């Protein structure tokens, strides 16, 4: 299983929101266990690319990490 982690060590929850016509991705701490897990590395890479291109969170660093299922 894979997950997407940002530069603050938080994980992508799989949810986004729109505020003042800007799209933002929601991240949570690892201990919350509410983050999105992906079975496929290819899907995870596509989601990471989408977050980098379409969200206004201005990501400096997103990393794909392997997590236990």
């Amino acid at each position: 299983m894979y997950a997407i982690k940002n530069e603050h060590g938080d994980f992508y929850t799989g949810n986004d929101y729109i505020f003042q016509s800007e799209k933002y991705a929601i991240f949570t701490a690892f201990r919350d266990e509410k983050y999105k897990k992906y079975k496929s590395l290819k899907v995870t890479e596509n989601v990471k690319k989408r977050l980098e291109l379409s969200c206004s969170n201005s990501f400096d660093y997103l990393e794909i990490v392997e997590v236990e299922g």
Side-chain angles (χ1 to χ4, degrees), residues 41-55:
L41 180 58
K42 182 71 173 171
V43 170
T44 311
E45 289 171 345
N46 289 339
V47 172
K48 178 180 175 263
K49 183 180 278 187
R50 179 186 61 81
L51 291 174
E52 291 171 340
L53 296 176
S54 69
C55 289

Side-chain angles (χ1 to χ4, degrees), residues 12-64:
Y12 180 54
T13 63
N15 298 314
D16 304 325
Y17 68 94
I18 297 177
F19 178 72
Q20 295 182 350
S21 66
E22 299 281 334
K23 186 175 179 181
Y24 295 90
I26 301 172
F27 284 78
T28 188
F30 178 75
R31 66 186 172 279
D32 291 341
E33 292 290 329
K34 296 178 183 173
Y35 60 90
K36 179 75 174 169
K37 299 173 189 169
Y38 301 93
K39 292 181 182 179
S40 166
L41 180 58
K42 182 71 173 171
V43 170
T44 311
E45 289 171 345
N46 289 339
V47 172
K48 178 180 175 263
K49 183 180 278 187
R50 179 186 61 81
L51 291 174
E52 291 171 340
L53 296 176
S54 69
C55 289
S56 301
N57 292 51
S58 56
F59 298 113
D60 294 327
Y61 174 79
L62 287 179
E63 178 184 12
I64 296 173

